[in-house]
Amino acid sequence: MSAVSPPSRRASAFFFRKPKLRLGILLSAPLLWLGLAYLGALAALFITAFWSTDVFTGKVVTDWSFDNFATLFTDSVYRTITLRTVGIALLVTVIDAVIAFPMAFAMAKLASPKAQRILVIAVMTPLWASYLVKAYAWRTLLSGNGAISWLLSPFGLSGPGYGVAATVITLSYLWLPYMILPIYAGLERLPDSLVDASGDLGAKSFRTFRSVILPLAFPAIVAGSIFTFSLSLGDYIAVKIVGGTSQMLGNVVYDNIGAANNLPFAATVAIVPVVIMLVYLAVVRRTGALNNL
């Protein structure tokens, strides 16, 4: 007479035969949290954008209208701020990619294993410092009597001061590690045999870079660009510190939540970076780069 297996063993055997069900149960809690905390917040943001604020009492009026969107799309000030924000985010992404690629290549292909570990720690070290400390350090460097102006003064030049250029420089520094690390990880997986084979076939260094290294590292560059572009798109602190009188979308959201006390319009403006990122991800996805990450 065969012994009956206990319920726990039968349940374990059942889940072992159903890997998809087991995976679904394991992911249920994180997906539930994602749905409530993230997607729920986005839904609340989208709904609030259709409300308005009473100009006399400052209270939110839950009557639905498109007035906030009409103001956002018809006012030239907000169009200029949107274009400036996208331009800064794209420029920061390009600058970081140009700087990060040779650094990541040297880390992945030229440095010894021991040096690689040291360099990775060196790249990650700025991430451990406070955002505000780094931003205010650049404010000191970029000021009219700062170190950059002092170094350029013998050549009859001066520093950029505060403005869009200072914002681009500061954001490029802040987000550079987020570009270096994905590219480094992508290049580390690149087989050295492919580079050697390209050289054996007579390809010069630039041809090897253009035909072998860059196409294989492109998904990693795209991964880094998602970080730098999205972080620059939503930033509002750096431009407050070094941006002078220039504004970005994040500043408009912050000012409307604080001084203006216009939460519905702030929600309307906050939707713009979300839509831009969705378009950016859709464009990136069409390149096929995300499929190779």
Side-chain angles (χ1 to χ4, degrees), residues 74-214:
T74 58
D75 196 323
S76 60
V77 173
Y78 297 116
R79 291 199 301 269
T80 301
I81 293 174
T82 300
L83 293 176
R84 181 189 300 127
T85 303
V86 175
I88 289 175
L90 288 174
L91 187 57
V92 169
T93 299
V94 172
I95 292 174
D96 280 348
V98 171
I99 297 175
F101 197 95
M103 295 177 64
F105 184 84
M107 292 167 57
K109 297 301 178 184
L110 302 180
S112 63
K114 182 179 179 180
Q116 284 183 2
R117 293 190 291 270
I118 296 175
L119 291 173
V120 169
I121 294 174
V123 169
M124 295 179 62
T125 299
L127 299 177
W128 302 341
S130 169
Y131 177 104
L132 290 176
V133 170
K134 293 181 288 186
Y136 274 105
W138 275 105
R139 179 180 174 85
T140 303
L141 292 172
L142 295 167
S143 64
N145 56 353
I148 294 178
S149 295
W150 178 75
L151 291 173
L152 295 176
S153 59
F155 305 98
L157 303 174
S158 61
Y162 303 140
V164 173
T167 303
V168 171
I169 293 172
T170 303
L171 292 177
S172 298
Y173 167 77
L174 291 172
W175 310 141
L176 183 60
Y178 294 97
M179 181 67 79
I180 295 177
L181 294 177
I183 297 178
Y184 164 73
L187 290 174
E188 193 178 28
R189 295 192 298 266
L190 177 66
D192 295 334
S193 58
L194 293 179
V195 179
D196 296 336
S198 177
D200 294 340
L201 292 174
K204 302 296 184 180
S205 299
F206 180 76
R207 178 63 185 276
T208 300
F209 169 78
R210 180 170 59 87
S211 302
V212 178
I213 299 175
L214 187 58

Side-chain angles (χ1 to χ4, degrees), residues 207-261:
R207 178 63 185 276
T208 300
F209 169 78
R210 180 170 59 87
S211 302
V212 178
I213 299 175
L214 187 58
L216 294 175
F218 183 69
I221 299 175
V222 169
S225 73
I226 294 174
F227 289 112
T228 57
F229 184 78
S230 61
L231 291 171
S232 300
L233 199 65
D235 189 88
Y236 70 95
I237 300 176
V239 69
K240 279 283 188 181
I241 296 174
V242 300
T245 59
S246 58
Q247 283 189 309
M248 295 175 65
L249 287 173
N251 302 120
V252 179
V253 175
Y254 178 81
D255 292 339
N256 278 278
I257 290 176
N261 192 27

Side-chain angles (χ1 to χ4, degrees), residues 21-40:
L21 179 61
R22 186 171 68 251
L23 180 62
I25 294 175
L26 290 175
L27 294 178
S28 60
L31 290 177
L32 179 63
W33 174 253
L34 175 65
L36 293 176
Y38 184 71
L39 299 180

